[in-house]
Amino acid sequence: MVRNTVQRRLLLETVRSMTNHPSADEVYEAVSPRCPGISRATVYRVLGALADEWEIRRVAVPNAPDRFDFTLSRHAHCRCLSCGRVSDFPLPFPDAESSEDFQVRNVEVLVTGTCRECLKKNQADSAG
């Protein structure tokens, strides 16, 4: 369990205010002007602990840094293979039932493809 420190509260508040599923480095960049003494190691450690405690959600992204999400309800994510942006993805989500042998905490789905902005950019580049 992470102590309820000023840094912990600041990191939790920052992730909850960022809607772009930030990486730990992006959270560090957002927090460091407000808390100049904070280290990257502290940010990584506290974000990991917050995710372990289910205060925020860790989104594992293959071959890229983990991202963090403030939405704890079950939902899918998508990652653009062009720009790397991670977003919520509308997907019917089945209820995963716990059994006596396994208690379900979370179900993770990551869809990959190309986001609308990158598709538009690619079309504009092809036309020009």
Side-chain angles (χ1 to χ4, degrees):
M1 181 169 177
V2 176
R3 292 178 312 187
N4 195 16
T5 64
V6 171
Q7 292 174 335
R8 180 186 187 281
R9 285 191 305 274
L10 179 60
L11 288 167
L12 183 57
E13 174 187 308
T14 300
V15 171
R16 287 181 174 164
S17 71
M18 300 176 83
T19 59
N20 65 336
H21 299 78
S23 66
D25 285 337
E26 290 170 325
V27 174
Y28 171 79
E29 295 299 325
V31 165
S32 60
R34 294 173 58 195
C35 187
I38 198 165
S39 70
R40 283 186 196 273
T42 297
V43 171
Y44 276 81
R45 180 179 48 76
V46 172
L47 289 176
L50 288 169
D52 290 345
E53 294 173 7
W54 207 240
E55 292 283 335
I56 59 175
R57 186 176 187 177
R58 181 190 317 263
V59 180
V61 180
N63 302 316
D66 287 348
R67 303 300 186 99
F68 296 92
D69 188 357
F70 64 89
T71 304
L72 299 178
S73 61
R74 289 186 181 159
H75 64 282
H77 292 96
C78 59
R79 176 175 177 247
C80 178
L81 296 172
S82 187
C83 68
R85 189 176 83 203
V86 174
S87 305
D88 290 344
F89 187 77
L91 187 69
F93 228 79
D95 287 332
E97 298 291 328
S98 295
S99 70
E100 64 183 51
D101 296 325
F102 192 81
Q103 182 180 12
V104 176
R105 179 176 183 185
N106 186 34
V107 177
E108 296 184 28
V109 176
L110 180 67
V111 178
T112 58
T114 307
C115 71
R116 182 182 324 209
E117 290 80 16
C118 288
L119 285 173
K120 286 180 185 176
K121 182 181 181 294
N122 291 343
Q123 289 171 351
D125 289 347
S126 296

